[in-house]
Amino acid sequence: MSQEKQNVEFKKSSCILCSVNCGLDIQTGGESGRELLKIKGDRDNPSSQGYLCNKAARLNYYQMGQDRMDTPMRRKSDGSYEAVSWETAIKEVAAGLNKVKNSHGGDKILFIGGGGQGNHLGGLYSDGLQKALGVRYRTNALAQEKTGEFWVSGKMFGGGPHGDFEHAEVSVFLGKNPWQTHGFPKTRTILKDISRDPKRAMIVLDPCVTDTAKISDYHLQLQPGTDAWALSAMIAIVIQEELEDKTFLSNHTEGFDQIHAYFAQLDIAEYCKISQLDLDLVTRATRRLAQAKSVSIFEDLGTQQNINSTLVSYLQRILFVITGNFAKKGTANIGVSLLSVTDASKGDVSAKSTKKNINKKVSPVLGSKVIVGLLPCNEIADEILTDHPDRFRAAIIESSNPVHSYADSARMREAMQALEFSVVIDVAMTETANIADYVLPAASAYEKHECVFFQVDFPKNTFQLRHPIVDKLAGTKIEAEIHTLLIEELGALKPLHVAILRTAAKLGRRSFALAFTALLKFKPELMKVLPSLLYRSLGQTLNQGKSASAAPFWALCHQFVRKNRTYANNAGFTGSLWQAGEKMFETLLNSPSGFIFSDSGTDYSDTWKRMSRADKQIQLHLPELFPQVCNLDTSLLACPKEFPLILTAGQRRGETTNTIIRDASWDKKNKSSSLYIHPVDADKLKIESGDQVKISTQTGSGQTHAFVTEQQRPGFISLPNGLGLDYKNSQGKKVHIGIAPNELTSSDRKDFFAGTPWHKYVPAKIEKLSIA
Ligand code: SF4
């Protein structure tokens, strides 16, 4: 048997390319033993149950990427990098951050990222580092898309409800193409089931003829950016035809009178005209929705990165609430989690800070809203570059690539260069790492324990602590270790306290719990660095220290059982509180395919209990947003004459995933980087598929090849997400495929409320450069 064959083995893990995180069975091996050779769906995963899509097959391009880093790097004065030891890097990074803290205050250090897609464990540990430094402001990818939605959900429900598409009679997809972007377990299977079932229906609001739109019952192919008008028309149809659920409204909501008064007089035909939708089609789709026993709605980047983003989040919720689609099977329900990403993201800003501007939850320079503790990504460059005493002076960037991902890459590069100190923690030499003062190489998501804090399902919630399936790339460290080393170097975690708890841990978990409680009572400041304290102490007893980074889950499991005893009991975690918490933690450690940690049973009305609002009443009238709903502004839709086309900068397609796969050599024919254009526009510009074109916006320009397709709507062009990255190919040569979308976007074009970018509505023009 060859050496290569001997190294081959299947192991449990999951896909990290979208929020569904399907369970995978991965055959590892290859020359180094560290490759992901063959990838199948894991039938033992309680959430995905063997499901996966085509994208997972490309994960080895992430794992074995040529620009993975294997040593810490320090930038020299000429801009080039030199390798340094870990010891040197940790000392110098801690000193650099401390210097900024001592000169300007910890609140002048910005934290960006904290765990990537499918890898949230690093974020847990980074929290300790932030607290040790007094960091108050942070941001991450959620503030590029979801913050408006979070704010609306929090205000209306006191929680984040999610649809139940598996059981919904009518499913509505708003600026979302779930066939390609998924968003809930077993997506394609469920979409096929809906489209085959004559008793169910699918409504899609999308300017493009997406794969999902093709199998829908009602495709409302609206003019880009007009979702708020289309949704207003649908709400008005419900109200003017008296299709609302009156019993539900009177029992469970407040503010319907104001909603009714406005929508009862709305000119439905005029609003359909603005959206360029057929009134009859909108009416039929709305009646189907209003008369269904259950409806679930999913909004995504098509609207969240578009004009009126937060208003659309509000309007779609009004629509499903007035039709009574909440807290029932097949509708929106509120799940539970061990620790949610938004909880983990809150930081000090939303919690208990005392400074005047922090109490108001606004950013230090521009005074923008801080939602779930996150600054709007679009404003980070200005928060650094503005000549203001409270501007950010340093940044810690973990598993995030703002130079590529945030609007106006050129300005973001300038902002990075203006910082007094910056450090990037990442697996690869990204565009952002390439400007940082220090770069600390992290192990990949398949080389360490990892997990996801998206547990939005209902009534059962699953959790998977993924185990490492290949050896770490030599020279890298896991984020838990990196953050803990920095915390120790800063003096926020003392060897004595670790030693006391280590000794107790050796005597058993009961002894550890007693010592842990006593120590925290005596030294409450250790709460700030709790994950690292657990990692260094209890962690050393978990699988001989090999599973040390899972130690914080010991506290989280006990906390979950205390707060949600019935749900934990239903999931099999019975006995005393201590026994149930211990059982859950042991199950978590020993279930590489994941496990069900919470089961709400069959009573969907438990969703009411999960609303944090004491009165359990849904708030329909939000005074912060309703005036804008009543005054939708069509001037926002106007494009300058010289940029007559509307560009989607970062379309999710079948071929593309996200930027963690930097090496695009899986795309042998380079088809993925095409600019999509409708035949009507292509004819006018005499462009054919394959022609090289130049695309320009008010911010920048780029070149790629065109693909003429009726999938687009006339006047509407698109570029894919996840491309335009610099990477090295297998010969070590630098390659750049496609256009980086944010070389074309502007940070000024953003939602008035949440500051989320209008990446899906960028005025643009194109010119043909050559004939194919
Ligand atoms: S990209 Fe596909 S395989 Fe990966 S998590 Fe998403 S749906 Fe699953």
Side-chain angles (χ1 to χ4, degrees):
M1 192 186 289
S2 72
Q3 183 63 37
E4 191 166 320
K5 279 205 174 138
Q6 281 174 16
N7 287 342
V8 164
E9 202 180 332
F10 271 97
K11 293 165 191 162
K12 307 283 187 190
S13 189
S14 81
C15 176
I16 53 168
L17 296 177
C18 86
S19 62
V20 175
N21 300 108
C22 299
L24 300 179
D25 256 326
I26 303 183
Q27 186 187 52
T28 61
E31 211 174 305
S32 64
R34 297 179 42 260
E35 293 192 46
L36 314 182
L37 296 177
K38 197 168 174 189
I39 294 173
K40 313 187 287 192
D42 176 11
R43 288 178 197 280
D44 297 330
N45 185 291
S47 176
S48 58
Q49 297 170 10
Y51 177 91
L52 83 171
C53 80
N54 55 313
K55 297 185 184 190
R58 290 177 215 139
L59 282 166
N60 202 40
Y61 288 92
Y62 156 78
Q63 168 62 17
M64 301 304 287
Q66 297 290 322
D67 47 10
R68 290 270 322 260
M69 292 184 304
D70 58 4
T71 184
M73 303 293 268
R74 176 173 62 196
R75 193 153 58 110
K76 297 197 282 188
S77 53
D78 65 359
S80 64
Y81 283 89
E82 60 187 341
V84 291
S85 70
W86 271 104
E87 202 187 357
T88 302
I90 292 294
K91 269 194 182 9
E92 293 183 3
V93 168
L97 292 167
N98 232 351
K99 190 174 166 200
V100 173
K101 179 187 171 186
N102 294 336
S103 322
H104 306 290
D107 60 343
K108 306 304 181 303
I109 302 171
L110 174 66
F111 188 88
I112 301 180
Q117 173 68 273
N119 304 293
H120 296 154
L121 196 48
L124 198 59
Y125 284 91
S126 71
D127 195 53
L129 176 61
Q130 291 169 62
K131 285 177 176 149
L133 285 163
V135 171
R136 287 198 172 121
Y137 296 97
R138 59 178 291 162
T139 192
N140 65 31
L142 292 169
Q144 287 265 67
E145 44 193 81
K146 308 284 179 216
T147 35
E149 180 182 28
F150 289 160
W151 188 91
V152 171
S153 278
K155 280 278 174 180
M156 289 181 78
F157 306 100
H162 289 266
D164 172 10
F165 299 91
E166 188 166 5
H167 302 110
E169 182 183 328
V170 171
S171 295
V172 184
F173 300 111
L174 195 58
K176 174 156 189 78
N177 176 14
W179 189 267
Q180 295 301 354
T181 63
H182 296 82
F184 47 90
K186 300 178 284 172
T187 313
R188 290 182 185 170
T189 309
I190 289 171
L191 293 176
K192 280 190 230 162
D193 287 349
I194 298 170
S195 81
R196 284 191 205 113
D197 188 343
K199 296 198 188 94
R200 301 173 75 188
M202 198 189 306
I203 301 171
V204 170
L205 282 85
D206 203 305
C208 296
V209 187
T210 61
D211 299 293
T212 311
K214 281 179 196 157
I215 56 167
S216 69
D217 301 274
Y218 305 88
H219 178 199
L220 308 186
Q221 198 184 359
L222 73 181
Q223 173 71 3
T226 62
D227 306 76
W229 285 268
L231 285 167
S232 294
M234 294 173 83
I235 295 167
I237 290 166
V238 171
I239 285 176
Q240 292 177 25
E241 296 193 6
E242 296 188 30
L243 297 171
E244 71 269 23
D245 186 334
K246 295 181 181 63
T247 311
F248 181 89
L249 286 166
S250 92
N251 288 343
H252 298 298
T253 67
E254 280 179 3
F256 181 62
D257 289 348
Q258 289 104 316
I259 302 293
H260 186 278
Y262 171 68
F263 287 100
Q265 50 75 48
L266 187 135
D267 185 343
I268 297 168
E270 176 60 20
Y271 271 50
C272 287
K273 202 167 138 199
I274 293 169
S275 296
Q276 297 186 13
L277 287 172
D278 175 53
L279 171 61
D280 179 57
L281 179 65
V282 178
T283 306
R284 284 189 286 118
T286 308
R287 286 177 186 155
R288 179 71 184 89
L289 178 157
Q291 286 157 1
K293 282 201 183 74
S294 56
V295 177
S296 282
I297 305 183
F298 202 138
E299 65 171 78
D300 213 342
L301 301 193
T303 61
Q304 290 175 338
Q305 294 191 331
N306 213 323
I307 288 170
N308 291 320
S309 156
T310 306
L311 295 185
V312 168
S313 296
Y314 179 33
L315 287 162
Q316 66 105 332
R317 282 163 178 76
I318 292 176
L319 183 60
F320 75 70
V321 170
I322 63 172
T323 48
N325 287 293
F326 184 75
K328 292 188 299 190
K329 190 173 182 175
T331 71
N333 287 281
I334 300 175
V336 292
S337 53
L338 274 180
L339 180 75
S340 87
V341 275
T342 52
D343 285 347
S345 299
K346 270 182 188 161
D348 285 345
V349 179
S350 338
K352 34 184 166 339
S353 301
T354 52
K355 276 179 77 174
K356 199 173 149 211
N357 62 347
I358 291 172
N359 276 339
K360 281 198 248 158
K361 299 178 192 170
V362 295
S363 65
V365 173
L366 301 186
S368 303
K369 271 191 188 55
V370 175
I371 301 175
V372 291
L374 303 176
L375 299 183
C377 299
N378 256 38
E379 292 167 10
I380 297 305
D382 287 336
E383 296 280 349
I384 295 170
L385 290 169
T386 306
D387 185 12
H388 186 285
D390 288 338
R391 69 181 185 274
F392 293 120
R393 313 290 181 129
I396 306 166
I397 300 162
E398 185 197 318
S399 303
S400 187
N401 187 2
V403 166
H404 182 85
S405 308
Y406 293 4
D408 195 347
S409 294
R411 187 147 167 82
M412 198 56 220
R413 272 192 291 272
E414 189 190 338
M416 277 292 297
Q417 279 155 349
L419 290 168
E420 289 173 26
F421 188 81
S422 58
V423 56
V424 164
I425 302 167
D426 213 319
V427 296
M429 197 69 179
T430 65
E431 287 68 15
T432 306
N434 223 354
I435 314 180
D437 293 317
Y438 287 82
V439 188
L440 304 180
S444 86
Y446 295 100
E447 298 167 353
K448 61 195 173 200
H449 286 82
E450 257 306 349
C451 66
V452 175
F453 292 127
F454 297 138
Q455 290 119 27
V456 296
D457 298 332
F458 193 96
K460 291 184 175 148
N461 294 88
T462 60
F463 185 85
Q464 181 185 14
L465 176 72
R466 305 198 310 269
H467 293 205
I469 58 169
V470 288
D471 289 342
K472 275 203 317 267
L473 178 64
T476 63
K477 289 191 187 295
I478 64 173
E479 285 88 345
E481 180 69 17
I482 296 172
H483 289 300
T484 304
L485 285 171
L486 287 169
I487 288 167
E488 288 166 338
E489 185 65 30
L490 289 165
L493 184 57
K494 304 266 188 278
L496 173 67
H497 301 138
V498 170
I500 291 169
L501 290 188
R502 270 195 193 184
T503 306
K506 282 183 195 151
L507 302 173
R509 213 108 14 99
R510 276 275 194 199
S511 304
F512 177 80
L514 289 172
F516 178 72
T517 312
L519 181 63
L520 286 178
K521 204 168 172 193
F522 177 62
K523 286 268 168 204
E525 66 273 22
L526 285 172
M527 278 302 289
K528 289 184 180 172
V529 293
L530 200 62
S532 289
L533 179 64
L534 287 164
Y535 168 69
R536 281 281 189 254
S537 55
L538 177 66
Q540 301 312 305
T541 65
L542 305 177
N543 190 14
Q544 289 96 46
K546 291 188 198 116
S547 303
S549 60
F553 290 107
W554 172 73
L556 289 170
C557 286
H558 280 282
Q559 177 183 284
F560 182 83
V561 169
R562 269 199 311 280
K563 284 190 182 165
N564 305 279
R565 192 157 190 189
T566 310
Y567 302 150
N569 270 336
N570 291 348
F573 303 107
T574 51
S576 67
L577 280 178
W578 171 260
Q579 286 167 332
E582 285 296 301
K583 203 168 159 190
M584 185 179 284
F585 181 52
E586 283 301 322
T587 308
L588 179 145
L589 290 174
N590 298 303
S591 307
S593 289
F595 73 109
I596 294 167
F597 68 91
S598 171
D599 184 349
S600 310
T602 52
D603 189 357
Y604 283 70
S605 67
D606 262 20
T607 279
W608 296 109
K609 292 187 200 156
R610 294 178 184 184
M611 288 173 73
S612 62
R613 291 189 57 85
D615 60 7
K616 310 292 179 194
Q617 294 286 296
I618 300 170
Q619 301 301 299
L620 276 167
H621 178 253
L622 301 184
E624 298 89 340
L625 297 179
F626 197 63
Q628 280 76 15
V629 163
C630 302
N631 290 290
L632 294 178
D633 181 3
T634 49
S635 72
L636 295 178
L637 301 168
C639 289
K641 254 195 202 142
E642 61 275 35
F643 298 106
L645 298 168
I646 299 161
L647 166 72
T648 274
Q651 186 179 48
R652 270 60 181 165
R653 296 179 184 166
E655 313 90 50
T656 57
T657 48
N658 62 41
T659 52
I660 65 163
I661 297 184
R662 301 180 58 78
D663 177 350
S665 55
W666 53 267
D667 182 10
K668 307 281 179 237
K669 295 183 183 160
N670 186 18
K671 280 171 69 181
S672 58
S673 57
S674 317
L675 179 141
Y676 284 7
I677 181 168
H678 190 272
V680 167
D681 298 316
D683 277 356
K684 275 191 218 157
L685 295 161
K686 304 205 179 338
I687 289 170
E688 291 177 16
S689 286
D691 283 348
Q692 197 67 14
V693 293
K694 177 180 177 187
I695 175 162
S696 308
T697 67
Q698 288 158 306
T699 307
S701 63
Q703 294 181 18
T704 188
H705 49 278
F707 179 67
V708 181
T709 168
E710 298 208 340
Q711 175 187 315
Q712 291 300 119
R713 193 186 156 95
F716 189 43
I717 55 178
S718 72
L719 285 170
N721 74 311
L723 292 175
L725 297 153
D726 293 319
Y727 69 94
K728 283 191 207 142
N729 65 14
S730 49
Q731 288 84 48
K733 206 172 139 202
K734 204 169 179 185
V735 183
H736 183 98
I737 290 186
I739 296 174
N742 287 308
E743 298 292 345
L744 303 174
T745 60
S746 153
S747 57
D748 298 337
R749 294 178 59 78
K750 61 191 176 192
D751 186 62
F752 81 98
F753 194 81
T756 38
W758 292 353
H759 288 345
K760 305 297 187 274
Y761 203 94
V762 183
K765 67 176 178 185
I766 50 177
E767 302 154 62
K768 180 165 125 175
L769 293 175
S770 66
I771 296 170

